[in-house]
Amino acid sequence: MALLRRHVLDVLHKVQYRIVQFVLWFIHTAPYRPILIFGRSLGFLGWILDRFHRKTADVQMRATLGNAYSRWLSLRVFMNHGDILIDAIRYAFMDDEEIKNKVRVTGREHLDAALADGRGLMMMTGHIGNWEILMHVSRILGIQFCVMADIRKNPRLEDIINDIRSRSGATILPPKGKALMLIKELRKGSTIGMVVDQRGKRGEKVFCDVLGLPAPTNPAPAFIAMKGNALILPVHAIKSGGTYTIHFAPAVDATSFGTGKAGIQAISDYMQAWVSTVVRQHPDQWFWLHCRWTRRSDMRKIFRTGSDFKQFVLKQAEESQESE
């Protein structure tokens, strides 16, 4: 029986590999406008068929965006994910000159000032715009940085993904060692990239204000920045028309926030405040499909019972504080 399961799994991996190979070939060889329409059509189809994530986006946007919310905003979010897919693949196969012509950089002086300091640098971003485009900063600006990535169970698929990632010029670190490895890189004076707007797990979270509501937040980015004695440099890539703008904000010193739990809380608050500011500027380009304020199981319960989302989030934070 075990042998049969391994054989079936191997066949499924091969089929998955061939499908992904074809999709990659199709996306990076077809004319851009038609393939972009294809990607946005996939997003539109997802908006129609994926009821859970459509409702998740809607309820979270309605609770946090105020007058900026509209009933069609979730559709724009889904369609933006089509752009993310297409552009992440297309940009990986562009040469350096072509990609430089399609990406504008603002705030370069903030990056240069942070690098000149000589300390470890954490380029922090969120699931805003197209975070995959930021992988190409090495090619665009000629700087070296590293990111940590998970490893997939399908080795054939992992080879394809590694090939795409390697084209960006960034150094990909294995997940082994996780926080400790990134801290070591920062202490060596290296530059790392990190996504900071992820929900914290049950036993590993701090509550931060995100768009006006308390959100359980992963404290790892703040912990790594603090222990790595790093400068923190906010950066995001926003699409407008057919090009992207990568914007760097002024760096802040992680050590200026204090130490211990209070320091981690203060850094986390800063990071989430930055995320909130950018999301309010570009609400259609954030990853609203992610259950940012609750677990998926809780979101399903809210939908099933018709509970008030905002009240659930506030009560969740209050109960967490009382249990500490």
Side-chain angles (χ1 to χ4, degrees):
M1 184 62 70
L3 183 61
L4 177 60
R5 282 200 299 268
R6 284 198 298 269
H7 176 69
V8 171
L9 185 62
D10 186 58
V11 170
L12 290 175
H13 282 174
K14 287 180 179 178
V15 171
Q16 186 182 40
Y17 173 74
R18 295 300 181 189
I19 292 174
V20 172
Q21 271 192 321
F22 172 76
V23 170
L24 288 178
W25 171 82
F26 177 61
I27 289 176
H28 89 261
T29 57
Y32 182 66
R33 288 193 176 278
I35 203 64
L36 191 61
I37 292 173
F38 168 74
R40 291 175 179 176
S41 298
L42 290 179
F44 178 69
L45 186 63
W47 182 77
I48 293 174
L49 299 178
D50 190 347
R51 185 170 180 266
F52 173 75
H53 286 104
R54 183 179 71 247
K55 290 184 67 176
T56 295
D58 273 329
V59 73
Q60 294 184 139
M61 289 188 294
R62 191 181 301 113
T64 58
L65 292 181
N67 293 333
Y69 168 77
S70 72
R71 60 178 299 186
W72 300 113
L73 187 55
S74 63
L75 173 58
R76 289 162 57 193
V77 169
F78 269 84
M79 293 178 71
N80 181 62
H81 278 67
D83 283 42
I84 291 173
L85 170 65
I86 299 302
D87 289 340
I89 295 171
R90 297 282 295 208
Y91 278 58
F93 288 93
M94 291 180 185
D95 60 38
D96 290 358
E97 286 305 312
E98 187 177 6
I99 201 170
K100 288 177 182 178
N101 289 332
K102 290 185 173 293
V103 177
R104 177 171 168 260
V105 178
T106 62
R108 172 68 187 268
E109 67 276 12
H110 302 310
L111 171 64
D112 291 340
L115 292 172
D117 186 275
R119 290 163 55 190
L121 176 63
M122 174 186 286
M123 293 195 301
M124 77 164 191
T125 192
H127 291 93
I128 303 164
N130 193 333
W131 52 96
E132 296 290 342
I133 297 300
L134 294 176
M135 293 282 287
H136 297 277
V137 164
S138 294
R139 299 168 61 194
I140 298 167
L141 300 179
I143 66 169
Q144 294 299 313
F145 76 101
C146 54
V147 296
M148 186 168 286
D150 292 329
I151 297 176
R152 284 149 188 81
K153 295 181 180 180
N154 185 341
R156 295 182 178 87
L157 184 59
E158 185 65 18
D159 288 341
I160 293 177
I161 293 172
N162 281 337
D163 176 61
I164 292 176
R165 285 172 173 165
S166 66
R167 294 172 180 271
S168 71
T171 300
I172 310 299
L173 301 175
K176 185 178 181 180
K178 295 186 178 179
L180 182 59
M181 182 178 292
L182 292 175
I183 291 170
K184 287 180 177 179
E185 289 295 327
L186 288 172
R187 288 179 175 174
K188 289 192 303 183
S190 301
T191 299
I192 70 170
M194 179 155 286
V195 177
V196 301
D197 57 351
Q198 294 175 309
R199 189 180 69 249
K201 298 179 181 178
R202 292 188 181 185
E204 299 177 1
K205 64 179 181 294
V206 294
F207 276 87
C208 301
D209 184 295
V210 179
L211 297 167
L213 285 178
T217 300
N218 184 358
F223 175 79
I224 291 168
M226 184 174 69
K227 292 298 185 181
N229 189 33
L231 294 176
I232 304 171
L233 182 74
V235 56
H236 63 280
I238 294 295
K239 188 171 187 178
S240 178
T243 61
Y244 284 91
T245 296
I246 294 178
H247 178 71
F248 293 97
V252 298
D253 189 340
T255 63
S256 67
F257 291 89
T259 60
K261 290 184 178 180
I264 291 174
Q265 180 70 59
I267 296 173
S268 297
D269 286 339
Y270 161 76
M271 290 176 167
Q272 302 313 308
W274 173 81
V275 169
S276 296
T277 297
V278 179
V279 171
R280 289 197 185 281
Q281 294 170 351
H282 309 281
D284 60 327
Q285 295 196 44
W286 193 43
F287 191 34
W288 291 98
L289 281 61
H290 169 57
C291 295
R292 179 63 184 90
W293 287 265
T294 67
R295 296 191 298 270
R296 286 171 60 94
S297 58
D298 289 329
M299 187 66 84
R300 293 186 185 279
K301 182 179 179 180
I302 290 171
F303 293 156
R304 186 174 62 253
T305 60
S307 302
D308 184 277
F309 171 76
K310 186 178 290 188
Q311 290 302 316
F312 180 92
V313 169
L314 294 173
K315 183 179 180 181
Q316 171 185 249
E318 182 181 344
E319 291 177 347
S320 178
Q321 291 175 351
E322 290 176 352
S323 65
E324 292 180 355

